[in-house]
Amino acid sequence: MKIELSVNGERKEADVWPGESLLFTLREKLGLPGSKNACEQGECGSCSVLLDEKLVCSCLVLTAQAQGHEIVTVEGIAEDDRLHRVQEAFVQTGAVQCGFCTPGLIVATVDLLAHRPEPSDDEIREALSGNLCRCTGYQKIFDAVRLAARA
Amino acid sequence: MEVFTPRSLAEALRLKAEQPSAVPIEGGTDVMVELNFDRARPEALLNLNEVAELRGWSRDNGLLRLGASLTYTEAMAAPLSEQLPALAEASRTVGSPQIRNRGTLGGNLGTASPAGDALPPLLVEAAEVELSSVRGVRTLALEDFLVGPKRNALEADELITAVLVQPSGARQTFMKVGPRNAMVIAVCSLAVSVDQERCELRAAYGSAGPVTGLVTAPLDEVDSFPERVAEAASPIDDVRGSARYRRHALRVLAERGLQRCLT
Ligand SMILES: Cc1cc2nc3c(=O)[nH]c(=O)nc-3n(C[C@H](O)[C@H](O)[C@H](O)COP(=O)(O)OP(=O)(O)OC[C@H]3O[C@@H](n4cnc5c(N)ncnc54)[C@H](O)[C@@H]3O)c2cc1C
Ligand code: FES
Ligand code: FES
C-alpha cells in the first residue's frame, strides 16, 4: 500500500506492506538507517523516534498508523550542520562506544530534556529505562545527559 | 493483509461488523510484536488511532469514563491519577516511557493477560468494561469480561470502547514483583484498597492465576487478609518464578499494601 509520511519535516512516500513497522519503513524504504533495529519487540529502545512529539519505539508502530502524524528520527535532531547539544555531550563524555544504542538514547534524552530541563538522577534513570546499552555501563551516558542539561 | 483506518466510532463498528476477523490495533505494543515475529498474519488490521471517541477520559456525575485508547502515560497524569491512584502506580510500572506513551487500557483488556498491570487496580475499583458493536452497547463487570488466560468476553463484531469506574475514594496501592523496576512482566502483582466507608478490604492479584483475581473481606479481618489473598491465588511454576514463591510474595505484598493504606 502507498503511504505518505512526514519525517523530519519532509513529506515522504513509500510503498509498504500493510503489516510493516515504521522502523522497517524508515530504514529500508526511506534511507534513514539512524534508528536501529535490535529486538523488534520494544525491549531495547534503539529504534526510538518521536511521533507527534512523543517518544515511541518505531518497531511497535504500524507504518500505516504514522500517516498524518509528525515523525522525528535521530537524523532530524541536529540543527543544519551542527550537532545538537545532546549529541555533542555524548561525544564529549565518551558515552558512545559501539554506538548501536546511541541514536535511541539521543532521541530519548532530547525528549527528556524537552520536558525536564534539569532532571534529577532518578528522573534520568526512569526516562532512559527503555534504552539498553551493552557497552558503557550507563555511567558515561548519565554524564552525557547531565552535561547536555547544563549546556 | 489490509489496514482499515476508521475516522469515527460508527465507521469502526461498521468495519468490525463487516470483517469480524480484522484485528484491532491501538498502541500496537502487543500486536506489532506478533507481526514482527511472524506469529500472526491477520487478514486485516483495524487501526483505532484516529477514532476520537476512544481517546482521553471524562467524568459524568462522578462516574469516570476511561476511553479504550487511554495510554499509561495519560493514566499517570493528574488529575486522573488522584482519582485512580493505584492505576496510576501500576501504569508507571509498565514497560518504559516508550511503551507507556503507546500502550493503552483497551489493549491491556484486549490482550487479557493474567499479567496485565492495568487489571488489578481496575478490579479493586470494581470497574466495568463497555463493549460496543453495530448491535448496541453493553457493559460487563471486569471479572466477567476476563474469562481465561488471554481470553475475554468480546464478541467478534465488538470493540472495547471504554472502562467505567466510580472511584471509591479508598486508600489504595499497587505493587509488582520483578527483577527490575522497568521492563518487566510481573512475577506477581497486587492492588490493595482499604475502603473505610464501605468497611471493605479489597485486593486483586496479577500473574498468580489464570486470570486476575479479586479477594474481598470485611474491614475487621485485616489480620487474616494476607493469608486469604495468598490462598485465593492459584499460581503456577514458570520461568519467572515458582508457585511457592508467588504465594509467599502475595502474602508479603498484601501485608505491605495494608500497611500503606492504613497509615
Ligand atoms: C517491551 C514491552 C513491555 C511491556 N510491559 C508491560 C508491562 O509492564 N505490563 C503490562 O501489563 N503490559 C506490558 N506490555 C504489554 C502491552 O504493552 C500492554 O498489554 C498494553 O496495554 C497493550 O496496549 P496496546 O494499545 O499497545 O495494544 P495493541 O497491541 O494495540 O492491542 C492488544 C490487543 O488488544 C486488542 N485491542 C486493542 N484495542 C482494542 C479495542 N478497542 N477493542 C477490542 N480489542 C482491542 C488487539 O486486537 C490486541 O489483541 C509490554 C509490551 C512490550 C512490547
Ligand atoms: S528495535 Fe524497537 S525496541 Fe528494540
Ligand atoms: S555503546 Fe554499544 S550498546 Fe551502547
Side-chain angles (χ1 to χ4, degrees):
Chain A
M1 64 193 284
K2 280 257 187 302
I3 295 275
E4 229 185 78
L5 295 174
S6 165
V7 187
N8 302 326
E10 281 177 44
R11 302 221 70 80
K12 306 254 183 190
E13 265 184 42
D15 197 5
V16 309
W17 172 62
E20 191 165 303
S21 73
L22 179 59
L23 175 63
F24 190 90
T25 306
L26 290 170
R27 289 178 57 82
E28 309 296 334
K29 308 277 175 72
L30 299 179
L32 292 168
S35 311
K36 297 289 176 254
N37 177 0
C39 74
E40 286 195 291
Q41 51 180 316
E43 297 277 350
C44 74
S46 63
C47 65
S48 298
V49 301
L50 300 175
L51 180 65
D52 291 341
E53 301 186 350
K54 293 199 180 77
L55 185 70
V56 304
C57 295
S58 60
C59 69
L60 298 182
V61 175
L62 187 73
T63 300
Q65 290 183 306
Q67 185 151 272
H69 299 274
E70 298 294 323
I71 303 152
V72 176
T73 69
V74 70
E75 289 92 342
I77 298 286
E79 292 126 14
D80 303 322
D81 287 341
R82 268 197 12 259
L83 289 183
H84 186 279
R85 69 189 154 99
V86 170
Q87 293 171 312
E88 197 61 58
F90 269 68
V91 174
Q92 279 187 19
T93 53
V96 183
Q97 287 189 24
C98 81
F100 205 82
C101 67
T102 312
L105 276 158
I106 297 283
V107 177
T109 304
V110 167
D111 179 65
L112 165 65
L113 297 182
H115 297 105
R116 291 257 162 207
E118 290 170 47
S120 67
D121 281 0
D122 279 349
E123 284 170 337
I124 299 175
R125 203 166 276 120
E126 189 164 354
L128 302 185
S129 61
N131 293 77
L132 298 183
C133 173
R134 295 183 61 175
C135 304
T136 64
Y138 301 100
Q139 210 47 55
K140 305 252 174 192
I141 291 170
F142 265 68
D143 293 344
V145 179
R146 291 192 204 102
L147 178 64
R150 269 185 270 124
Chain B
M1 198 187 290
E2 264 184 290
V3 184
F4 301 112
T5 300
R7 306 273 152 181
S8 70
L9 180 58
E11 191 189 351
L13 296 178
R14 185 177 51 73
L15 286 164
K16 189 70 173 125
E18 283 168 13
Q19 195 147 343
S21 65
V23 173
I25 175 166
E26 300 225 34
T29 58
D30 284 319
V31 171
M32 287 305 292
V33 177
E34 299 288 298
L35 290 177
N36 290 346
F37 283 81
D38 272 338
R39 286 192 218 121
R41 281 291 174 267
E43 279 165 40
L45 292 167
L46 187 60
N47 168 24
L48 299 177
N49 283 2
E50 309 301 329
V51 179
E53 292 97 319
L54 300 180
R55 284 190 214 130
W57 61 277
S58 59
R59 187 164 25 193
D60 185 21
N61 252 333
L63 183 74
L64 286 177
R65 183 192 164 83
L66 313 177
S69 302
L70 190 86
T71 63
Y72 296 106
T73 302
E74 289 165 342
M76 283 161 63
L80 184 57
S81 60
E82 290 149 13
Q83 297 286 312
L84 298 172
L87 179 65
E89 281 179 276
S91 298
R92 195 171 167 193
T93 75
V94 171
S96 63
Q98 288 91 327
I99 302 299
R100 298 195 283 272
N101 282 340
R102 287 292 290 167
T104 65
L105 289 193
N108 212 230
L109 291 165
T111 297
S113 159
D117 284 321
L119 309 178
L122 289 175
L123 263 188
V124 155
E125 284 292 271
E128 294 187 318
V129 186
E130 182 190 88
L131 306 173
S132 305
S133 69
V134 289
R135 294 173 290 121
V137 180
R138 61 177 177 137
T139 55
L140 276 182
L142 180 53
E143 291 99 301
D144 299 330
F145 176 78
L146 301 169
V147 298
K150 303 213 166 177
R151 284 192 304 124
N152 61 42
L154 263 181
E155 298 286 344
D157 65 345
E158 283 180 320
L159 292 176
I160 301 160
T161 39
V163 175
L164 308 173
V165 200
Q166 190 83 51
S168 65
R171 291 283 293 272
Q172 54 191 269
T173 189
F174 173 85
M175 294 150 294
K176 171 168 161 183
V177 176
R180 246 189 99 181
N181 272 340
M183 282 300 187
V184 291
I185 306 174
V187 173
C188 65
S189 65
L190 194 74
V192 175
S193 82
V194 175
D195 195 332
Q196 305 277 2
E197 214 169 288
R198 294 168 195 82
C199 292
E200 195 177 39
L201 304 169
R202 294 171 70 87
Y205 54 79
S207 283
V211 292
T212 319
L214 180 69
V215 189
T216 62
L219 195 55
D220 55 12
E221 292 180 13
V222 168
D223 291 344
S224 59
F225 197 56
E227 197 52 48
R228 283 269 290 272
V229 171
E231 269 166 25
S234 44
I236 54 166
D237 295 322
D238 69 12
V239 285
R240 279 177 280 136
S242 66
R244 200 163 145 253
Y245 173 73
R246 286 185 158 108
R247 242 199 203 100
H248 170 72
L250 285 182
R251 200 177 295 118
V252 174
L253 293 183
E255 269 167 36
R256 275 186 208 163
L258 289 172
Q259 236 165 43
R260 281 189 203 172
C261 296
L262 286 165
T263 48

